């Protein structure tokens, strides 16, 4: 069994910041990709940012961002803690959504699993 638990959501004013955390626990061998998605009311779930387990040749981590959050959001991971973070700065009302953590990993039987968290709400409003 693998569990994914998010934290850090809440209410923030436009221009403010929040930091989301997501930790994986349970029995698994390795984590591949860790990502954050969001789903606003009446809209489809969309990818916000993702971070791979690998690195580029210059040592930087492999990350991917939706264009709407580039320059404002930063995804990072602590592999020792099996945790991924999403630092969100300069928040806008259109960032309001439920944010979901998604982790791709190999379980103890070498099976590929795609595990979702329960979601944490983020509301950007004055």
């Amino acid at each position: 069994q693998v569990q994914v638990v998010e934290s850090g959501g809440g209410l923030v004013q436009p221009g403010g910041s929040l930091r989301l955390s997501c930790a994986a626990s349970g029995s698994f061998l390795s984590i591949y990709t860790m990502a954050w998605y969001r789903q606003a009311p009446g809209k489809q779930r969309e990818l916000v940012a993702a971070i791979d387990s690998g690195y580029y040749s210059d040592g930087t981590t492999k990350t991917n961002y939706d264009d709407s959050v580039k320059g404002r959001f930063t995804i990072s991971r602590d592999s020792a803690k099996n945790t991924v973070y999403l630092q969100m700065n300069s928040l806008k009302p259109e960032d309001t959504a439920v944010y979901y953590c998604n982790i791709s990993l190999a379980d103890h039987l070498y099976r590929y699993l795609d595990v979702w968290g329960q979601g944490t709400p983020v509301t950007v409003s004055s």
Side-chain angles (χ1 to χ4, degrees), residues 49-110:
I51 184 166
D52 195 73
S53 59
Y55 298 87
Y56 291 111
S57 58
D58 62 358
T60 56
T61 53
K62 294 182 178 180
T63 58
N64 179 42
Y65 294 92
D66 182 78
D67 286 344
S68 66
V69 305
K70 283 182 180 177
R72 300 188 297 123
F73 291 10
T74 302
I75 189 170
S76 61
R77 65 191 285 172
D78 184 334
S79 297
K81 296 181 180 180
N82 298 318
T83 300
V84 62
Y85 306 96
L86 185 68
Q87 178 66 44
M88 306 185 293
N89 298 328
S90 302
L91 282 160
K92 304 175 181 179
E94 50 263 44
D95 295 318
T96 295
V98 177
Y99 284 70
Y100 296 90
C101 177
N102 173 267
I103 298 180
S104 304
L105 52 81
D107 73 1
H108 65 293
L109 296 177
Y110 298 93

Side-chain angles (χ1 to χ4, degrees), residues 12 19 22 30 33 39 49 63-64 66 72 80 91 94 112 120 125:
V12 63
R19 188 192 194 207
C22 170
S30 60
T33 302
Q39 187 166 18
T63 58
N64 179 42
D66 182 78
R72 300 188 297 123
L91 282 160
E94 50 263 44
Y112 178 90
T120 184
S125 175

